[in-house]
């Protein structure tokens, strides 16, 4: 089997490495793993670090560009990520994987945290199925699953960080992905699994309900003789959390305007409050010619129902508590999207990135309706739009620099402190070293 090909740097805008995409020998990691498996009995070490400098347009801003700034700080040096990963995989005599183990941790000035810790067993009769169990990435959304080491922007969008913080969860997943080159469905990948639901925001599950997550993806398909490539997927998260309170708030209409109303029926206790997400994504890659890189478009849309609290739409990691008692739950209808345009600048080393994303946590309220008397709404109901402008230069396959500016716009509301757009734009200059 031929495993030698040009590295990512010289392939233009290539397909990025997914968090669970460890065996694909078309990726740089996959190729490296396969060669080392053959020579060094299935062990591979890899990692990357991301030191960066950031400047914000005001001190002490709340930000999804790497975390909030301290009260008196508008610029900072940070080590955004420091990843180290160990992979172990065994192949059979037909060069098909049989079993895989992965362990990854993230070490920065903020501490050391486990990011991946899972095992995967492969079915070798038809070479179509695998079973994964442990701590690993949830199979939903293209952006959520794209590795931070390969992503062309500093961070995932606001919606991804709020709804699926840390991207991973503990659970078990079945994957259908034909591994033989002559299989008629080799372009298809289906993931489906059950997960605790709260991700890595807590040390244990707090209820007995599990989230079902699935993603049906079509791998890049050649569209014409110019090698245009189109890929896409649909995904779903169908889960929720147990209601440990009888007080459930939903958005209705009061005096002709959106407002929260409370359902305090005693039988609400013990029911499941919904967390239902539905998404679709597309990626189109257009080569620009030999050694000139490519043009790429990415589109992704996610909508559904989210249950959280009055002050945030982030998925709770523990049973919400307020004043020593279980806090009321708030059920909101949301939507959001990401749109990427990426263009190599005449060569594979230089890349222009334009990204637009939005997150609307409450579709039933907007603008001055939020914060109106009697509405019961908070900053958690405000829509945000973000325009990102970036430039990436690849020095070599192991080092790159990223210059990126986030222009963040919140809708103007009647809430104190949010009557106009906040000064919360962020510039990021990041180096990445990987091995």
């Amino acid at each position: 089997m031929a495993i030698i090909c040009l590295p990512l740097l010289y392939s233009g805008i290539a397909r990025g490495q997914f968090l669970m995409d460890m065996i694909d020998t078309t990726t740089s990691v996959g190729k490296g793993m396969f060669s080392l498996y053959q020579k060094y009995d299935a062990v591979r070490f890899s990692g990357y670090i991301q030191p960066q400098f950031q400047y914000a347009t005001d001190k002490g801003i709340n930000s999804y560009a790497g975390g909030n700034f301290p009260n008196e700080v508008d610029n900072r040096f940070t080590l955004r990520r420091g990843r180290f990963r160990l992979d172990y995989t065994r192949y059979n005599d037909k060069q098909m994987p049989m079993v895989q183990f992965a362990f990854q941790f993230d070490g920065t000035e903020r501490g050391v945290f486990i990011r991946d810790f899972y095992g995967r067993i492969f079915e070798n009769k038809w070479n179509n199925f695998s079973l994964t169990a442990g701590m690993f990435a949830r199979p939903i959304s293209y952006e959520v699953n794209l590795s931070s080491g390969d992503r062309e922007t500093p961070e995932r969008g606001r919606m991804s960080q709020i709804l699926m913080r840390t991207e991973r969860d503990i659970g078990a997943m079945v994957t259908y992905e034909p591994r033989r080159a002559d299989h008629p469905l080799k372009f298809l990948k289906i993931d489906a699994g059950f997960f605790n639901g709260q991700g890595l925001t807590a040390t244990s599950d707090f209820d007995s309900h599990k989230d079902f997550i699935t993603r049906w993806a079509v791998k890049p398909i050649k569209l014409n003789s110019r090698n245009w490539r189109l890929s896409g997927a649909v995904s779903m998260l169908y889960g929720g959390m147990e209601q440990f309170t009888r007080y459930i708030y939903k958005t209705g209409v009061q005096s002709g305007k959106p407002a929260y109303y409370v359902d305090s029926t005693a039988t609400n206790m013990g029911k499941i409050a919904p967390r239902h997400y539905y998404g679709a994504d597309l990626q189109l890659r257009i080569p620009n010619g030999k050694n000139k890189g490519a043009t790429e478009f990415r589109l992704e849309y996610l909508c559904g129902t989210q249950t959280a609290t009055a002050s945030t739409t982030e998925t709770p990691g523990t049973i919400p508590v307020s004043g020593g008692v279980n806090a009321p739950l708030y059920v909101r209808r949301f939507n959001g999207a990401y749109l990427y345009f990426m263009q190599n600048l005449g060569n594979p080393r230089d890349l222009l990135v334009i990204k637009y994303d939005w997150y609307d946590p409450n579709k039933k309220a907007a603008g001055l309706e939020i914060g109106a008397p009697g509405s019961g709404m908070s900053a958690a109901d405000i829509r945000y739009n973000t325009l990102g402008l970036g430039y990436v230069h690849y020095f070599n396959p192991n080092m790159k620099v990223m210059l990126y500016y986030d222009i963040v716009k919140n809708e103007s509301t009647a809430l104190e402190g949010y009557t106009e757009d906040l000064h919360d734009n962020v510039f990021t200059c990041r180096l990445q070293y990987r091995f």
Side-chain angles (χ1 to χ4, degrees):
M1 175 184 288
I3 60 171
I4 302 175
C5 69
L6 295 178
L8 174 63
L9 172 61
Y10 299 102
S11 63
I13 308 173
R15 176 179 180 270
Q17 175 191 328
F18 266 29
L19 297 176
M20 292 297 292
D21 191 16
M22 295 296 109
I23 299 300
D24 185 355
T25 56
T26 65
T27 65
S28 58
V29 169
K31 293 192 293 282
M33 289 177 68
F34 186 68
S35 61
L36 285 175
Y37 294 152
Q38 291 180 311
K39 191 172 183 179
Y40 297 113
D41 197 28
V43 177
R44 182 182 190 270
F45 299 96
S46 62
Y48 60 88
I49 62 172
Q50 296 176 336
Q52 67 183 25
F53 174 79
Q54 292 184 301
Y55 180 81
T57 50
D58 205 352
K59 293 183 178 180
I61 67 168
N62 293 330
S63 177
Y64 286 87
N68 297 338
F69 283 68
N71 289 338
E72 299 301 322
V73 174
D74 63 5
N75 67 86
R76 62 188 179 187
F77 285 101
T78 62
L79 182 59
R80 182 62 184 93
R81 296 175 182 88
R83 300 290 173 86
F84 182 84
R85 182 179 178 112
L86 164 68
D87 285 275
Y88 173 87
T89 300
R90 293 306 302 266
Y91 282 77
N92 61 20
D93 55 4
K94 296 180 180 179
Q95 304 303 336
M96 290 295 177
M98 297 185 297
V99 65
Q100 178 194 2
F101 165 83
F103 172 72
Q104 180 177 211
F105 67 82
D106 182 29
T108 70
E109 72 274 19
R110 298 175 297 279
V112 178
F113 306 93
I114 295 176
R115 284 292 175 259
D116 293 290
F117 207 163
Y118 65 86
R120 176 187 287 171
I121 186 170
F122 296 85
E123 161 279 305
N124 291 124
K125 182 176 182 179
W126 299 286
N127 291 302
N128 290 333
F129 295 93
S130 63
L131 172 66
T132 307
M135 180 188 299
F136 57 95
R138 287 174 275 203
I140 184 171
S141 168
Y142 184 92
E143 188 188 62
V144 166
N145 277 268
L146 185 61
S147 168
S148 296
D150 292 316
R151 193 177 55 247
E152 301 84 0
T153 60
E155 305 298 333
R156 294 176 177 87
R158 178 182 296 260
M159 177 172 62
S160 296
Q161 295 187 54
I162 290 176
L163 299 181
M164 286 163 280
R165 186 177 171 188
T166 71
E167 301 85 52
R168 285 108 170 145
D169 203 348
I170 299 177
M173 177 179 74
V174 174
T175 298
Y176 174 79
E177 184 180 19
R179 295 186 291 278
R180 293 190 180 277
D182 58 350
H183 196 286
L185 297 179
K186 64 180 180 180
F187 61 87
L188 184 64
K189 181 180 181 182
I190 300 174
D191 294 312
F194 288 93
F195 300 81
N196 280 343
Q198 81 282 357
L200 304 186
T201 59
T203 56
S204 65
D205 202 355
F206 62 81
D207 64 12
S208 296
H209 189 72
K210 299 294 179 281
D211 289 352
F212 174 73
I213 308 177
T214 184
R215 186 169 189 266
W216 296 52
V218 175
K219 298 178 181 180
I221 295 176
K222 185 176 180 179
L223 298 181
N224 55 31
S225 60
R226 296 181 58 189
N227 201 29
W228 289 28
R229 299 276 176 166
L230 180 68
S231 59
V234 293
S235 54
M236 178 186 73
L237 184 154
Y238 198 87
M241 58 177 289
E242 185 173 342
Q243 298 174 172
F244 294 95
T245 175
R246 60 187 286 186
Y247 301 103
I248 309 299
Y249 284 80
K250 299 179 181 180
T251 306
V253 177
Q254 180 179 341
S255 300
K257 295 183 179 181
Y260 280 110
Y261 69 91
V262 62
D263 176 0
S264 58
T265 306
T267 55
N268 283 338
M269 292 283 292
K271 290 184 177 180
I272 302 301
R275 288 178 51 240
H276 301 160
Y277 311 161
Y278 307 94
D281 60 80
L282 285 173
Q283 302 83 41
L284 174 64
R285 182 179 183 274
I286 304 172
N288 294 154
K290 186 177 181 180
N291 298 323
K292 293 184 178 180
T295 302
E296 185 165 344
F297 299 91
R298 293 182 194 157
L299 309 174
E300 183 165 353
Y301 179 78
L302 193 68
C303 65
T305 304
Q306 171 71 350
T307 296
T309 62
S311 60
T312 180
T313 58
E314 184 175 303
T315 300
T318 59
I319 299 174
V321 175
S322 178
V325 299
N326 293 340
L329 297 180
Y330 282 67
V331 181
R332 300 174 174 95
R333 296 280 298 173
F334 75 90
N335 69 9
Y338 312 110
L339 299 91
Y340 283 77
F341 168 74
M342 293 176 291
Q343 177 64 58
N344 280 121
L345 303 177
N347 65 80
R349 292 178 179 268
D350 298 294
L351 179 66
L352 171 69
V353 181
I354 301 175
K355 177 187 176 184
Y356 174 75
D357 70 79
W358 85 76
Y359 174 52
D360 188 349
N362 189 345
K363 296 195 303 179
K364 294 186 177 182
L368 297 179
E369 296 171 340
I370 300 172
S375 68
M377 296 185 184
S378 70
D381 297 285
I382 297 175
R383 170 175 169 149
Y384 282 82
N385 306 296
T386 304
L387 175 64
L389 306 173
Y391 166 76
V392 184
H393 177 74
Y394 297 88
F395 294 98
N396 54 56
N398 301 101
M399 180 179 176
K400 68 180 180 181
V401 63
M402 180 185 297
L403 306 176
Y404 199 85
Y405 190 64
D406 277 308
I407 303 171
V408 185
K409 299 289 184 182
N410 58 273
E411 59 183 338
S412 298
T413 73
L415 283 173
E416 183 180 354
Y418 296 91
T419 57
E420 59 184 20
D421 183 46
L422 302 177
H423 300 291
D424 52 359
N425 299 343
V426 178
F427 169 75
T428 301
C429 175
R430 173 184 293 174
L431 285 172
Q432 177 175 291
Y433 310 90
R434 71 189 307 167
F435 65 92

